[in-house]
Amino acid sequence: MKKNNQIIITSLRGFVISLFALVAMAGKGQIKCHVVGTVDDGVERQTFYISQLGTTENDDAKWTAVNVEDGHFSLDIAADTTEMYEMVEDRWQGGRFALFLVENDTVRITVTPEGDRACLEVTAGGPEQEKWLTMQRMSKDLFGKEAETIEHKLDSLYDDDLVYSEAYRRLMEEREKYDRANPDHVHALETIYARRDSMMHDKSAFSLEARKLVLANDSLHALVDAWTKAYKVDHPMLYGLLYLEARMLYTYDDINKAQPYLDEYHQIYEHLFPEHPAHHRIALKERGLLLQPGQPYFDDYEAATTDGETVNVASLYRGRMAIINLWGSWCGPCRAHAKALIPIYEKYRDAGLTVVAIAREWNMDSFRRAMEHDQYPWPSLVDYQDRYGVWEKHGIKNGSGKILLIDSDGTILSTTNDAQELEPIIKKALNVE
C-alpha cells in the first residue's frame, strides 16, 4: 500500500500510531534485556537506531546505532525499570518502527522489505510483551480479514491515483509553493496544514470511492478500539500503560486529541503498577495540557542563565504581563514564532509587557549562534539537556515549542503561537489604545 503522510490507514498488525523515532539507551542495570533480530534479503538499510521512547532526536548520548551483519543484529540493554523502547529506521527522519518492552528476557525483531522501506515487527519478548502480542494476535483473528480487504481496495485506488479529491490536490500544490526548510514560511504552512487537517476530518480530502473505504476503515477501527479497551480492562498489562503514554506524548499540547487517552488512563491504569515512573510522567503531561486560557499558570519551576546559574522562572515575571516563550535553536517554527514577537515586544514593553524565553538545548554554541542571528531583544534562559524538564512540565516534551501569554495575576490569557492573534489580547489587557 502506498503510504502518504496525509492519511494513515491503521494496520491491525500493531495498531501503530505514526510517530517520529524518539527513544533512549540508559540504566544502571537492574534489568538486562537481550535484543536479537533478523533482516531479510531485500532490505537495503543496514543500520537502525534504538532508544527509550520519548527521547528527542537531538539527544545524541541516548541513541544507539544497531548495525546489521550477515542479516542479523543483537545488542544488550541495561535499564533501571521496565520501559518501552523503540527500534527505528532513521532517528532523524522517523520511518517505520517497532515498539518493545525492556524486560529480563530476550526480544526478537524481524525486519522485512515492504516496497522501498523496511517493515519492523516484534515477534517475541518477555512476559509483559507477550501479553500484548497475544492481544494483537487475537484481534487480527477477529478483524484482520476485513482490514485486509479495505487495505487492498485502497491500494488499487492508490495505484490508479484516485484517492484524493481535486480540492485536496490543489491544497497540496499550494503547499509545494513554500520551502518547508524556511522558517519564514511557517505561518503560511500552518494555515495550509490546518486546512488539510480539516479536510481529513470531514473526509473532503478523498474522492467519493476512497471516502467510502476510509469511512469503513474508521468504523472498523472503532470496533477494534472498543474490543481492545475491553480486553485491557480484563487483562491488565504494563505494555498497555506505556503504550497509552506514548500515544499521549505525541498529541503535543492538544487537549482535545489527548483527552481520550487521559480518560482511558484514569479508567484503567491510574491505580495499576503504582510504583512505575510512567504515572509521574503522565501526571506532568496532564498538568501541561491543562495550561489553557482562563486557567492559572504554575510558577514552581526553574531554568538556568547562560552562566549556569539556576533561576526561579516566576521571579522574572511575577506581577507583570509576560510572554513565556519556550523555544530551541534547532526548532525552525519556534524561532519563526519568536521573531514575530519582536515588534510586539518593542511596541508594548514600556506599557509593562515582558518576555521570558527558555531554550531547550543540547548544543550551547548553536544556542548562542541562534540568539545572535535572530537578534532577540530579550535574554533567554536555558534548559540544557533537559536538566530542569521545562518542556515536559508544559506537556510538550517533543513538540515544537510553546508560547503562553500570562496576565499580571498569573492567569493564562492565550496559548496561541500567532503574534497577530496575541496583539489585540495584549492591548486589551494592558488597556492600551
Side-chain angles (χ1 to χ4, degrees):
M1 179 175 180
K2 295 178 174 62
K3 305 294 181 183
N4 185 294
N5 63 359
Q6 313 307 323
I7 176 174
I8 301 171
I9 302 301
T10 303
S11 167
L12 292 171
R13 278 182 309 209
F15 312 114
V16 176
I17 53 174
S18 181
L19 304 174
F20 282 122
L22 307 166
V23 270
M25 293 288 282
K28 298 179 181 178
Q30 296 177 5
I31 292 176
K32 307 285 188 181
C33 182
H34 186 53
V35 181
V36 297
T38 58
V39 180
D40 286 2
D41 293 339
V43 176
E44 294 185 5
R45 179 175 291 278
Q46 295 295 292
T47 300
F48 296 85
Y49 298 89
I50 285 182
S51 193
Q52 185 178 336
L53 191 66
T55 302
T56 178
E57 65 269 20
N58 299 295
D59 201 345
D60 295 336
K62 295 180 180 179
W63 285 88
T64 294
V66 180
N67 296 314
V68 179
E69 295 184 7
D70 298 325
H72 295 82
F73 62 85
S74 68
L75 75 156
D76 294 307
I77 301 175
D80 294 329
T81 188
T82 297
E83 292 283 6
M84 184 170 283
Y85 278 56
E86 185 175 20
M87 177 172 168
V88 300
E89 283 190 281
D90 189 310
R91 68 180 267 200
W92 294 102
Q93 299 300 322
R96 304 296 177 80
F97 61 95
L99 302 178
F100 63 93
L101 292 188
V102 167
E103 303 179 71
N104 281 315
D105 214 312
T106 297
V107 172
R108 300 186 184 278
I109 300 174
T110 62
V111 184
T112 55
E114 190 173 279
D116 58 352
R117 307 297 295 275
C119 178
L120 291 73
E121 183 177 8
V122 177
T123 59
E128 287 295 326
Q129 181 82 44
E130 286 297 329
K131 292 178 184 178
W132 186 264
L133 292 174
T134 297
M135 183 189 73
Q136 287 183 310
R137 294 178 189 119
M138 292 177 64
S139 177
K140 185 174 182 180
D141 289 342
L142 290 169
F143 305 105
K145 186 174 181 180
E146 185 176 352
E148 289 175 2
T149 298
I150 294 172
E151 186 173 339
H152 176 73
K153 291 180 178 179
L154 277 168
D155 279 343
S156 297
L157 292 182
Y158 273 114
D159 290 338
D160 296 332
D161 196 23
L162 296 173
V163 169
Y164 298 108
S165 64
E166 286 302 317
Y168 183 79
R169 293 173 189 274
R170 289 195 296 272
L171 181 64
M172 292 300 98
E173 289 172 0
E174 185 178 347
R175 185 193 66 176
E176 292 304 319
K177 295 179 182 178
Y178 298 95
D179 177 9
R180 279 177 274 181
N182 186 342
D184 292 336
H185 294 154
V186 66
H187 181 70
L189 281 171
E190 287 177 346
T191 300
I192 290 173
Y193 289 145
R195 289 164 58 195
R196 177 202 66 185
D197 292 345
S198 176
M199 294 182 74
M200 285 291 170
H201 180 73
D202 65 18
K203 304 300 185 283
S204 61
F206 305 107
S207 66
L208 182 60
E209 190 173 357
R211 193 177 310 166
K212 293 177 182 177
L213 291 171
V214 171
L215 289 171
N217 184 77
D218 288 349
S219 297
L220 179 61
H221 196 189
L223 287 175
V224 173
D225 282 348
W227 179 89
T228 302
K229 186 174 181 179
Y231 185 94
K232 287 185 288 188
V233 169
D234 294 334
H235 304 81
M237 60 187 89
L238 181 57
Y239 193 111
L241 170 64
L242 297 177
Y243 185 67
L244 186 67
E245 180 191 6
R247 301 191 74 167
M248 208 180 304
L249 176 64
Y250 296 104
T251 58
Y252 298 120
D253 60 347
D254 190 328
I255 184 65
N256 294 320
K257 291 181 179 179
Q259 195 60 56
Y261 307 133
L262 289 171
D263 292 342
E264 183 175 339
Y265 169 73
H266 291 301
Q267 291 166 9
I268 300 177
Y269 295 104
E270 187 171 10
H271 302 295
L272 296 176
F273 316 104
E275 302 302 319
H276 199 280
H279 293 289
H280 173 69
R281 298 192 296 261
I282 291 173
L284 283 177
K285 178 69 175 180
E286 186 168 21
R287 185 189 190 201
L289 287 166
L290 293 175
L291 293 175
Q292 300 294 327
Q295 299 299 314
Y297 182 60
F298 55 76
D299 59 3
D300 56 346
Y301 69 101
E302 298 174 324
T305 66
T306 53
D307 296 326
E309 178 185 355
T310 297
V311 174
N312 180 289
V313 176
S315 67
L316 303 178
Y317 66 81
R318 188 177 287 115
R320 304 179 64 185
M321 174 172 286
I323 294 174
I324 310 298
N325 176 32
L326 307 184
W327 71 291
S329 62
W330 46 271
C331 175
C334 302
R335 292 172 63 176
H337 291 137
K339 285 191 287 186
L341 292 174
I342 293 175
I344 291 178
Y345 170 71
E346 298 285 10
K347 188 173 182 179
Y348 298 104
R349 63 191 300 183
D350 291 339
L353 178 67
T354 190
V355 171
V356 177
I358 309 168
R360 185 191 192 198
E361 298 293 342
W362 283 266
N363 186 309
M364 290 302 293
D365 288 338
S366 296
F367 164 76
R368 294 185 181 95
R369 286 195 296 269
M371 288 290 292
E372 181 178 358
H373 181 274
D374 294 350
Q375 294 290 297
Y376 301 123
W378 52 76
S380 181
L381 299 174
V382 180
D383 188 2
Y384 182 63
Q385 296 184 346
D386 282 339
R387 175 184 175 185
Y388 300 95
V390 172
W391 279 36
E392 186 174 26
K393 288 181 172 69
H394 286 77
I396 53 165
K397 185 171 182 179
N398 291 307
S400 296
K402 192 178 185 78
I403 291 174
L404 303 100
L405 178 64
I406 313 299
D407 205 351
S408 58
D409 66 357
T411 301
I412 300 172
L413 298 180
S414 173
T415 57
T416 182
N417 289 333
D418 190 331
Q420 294 179 352
E421 294 179 11
L422 274 177
E423 184 169 10
I425 301 173
I426 292 170
K427 287 180 64 175
K428 181 178 179 180
L430 290 173
N431 197 24
V432 174
E433 295 297 330

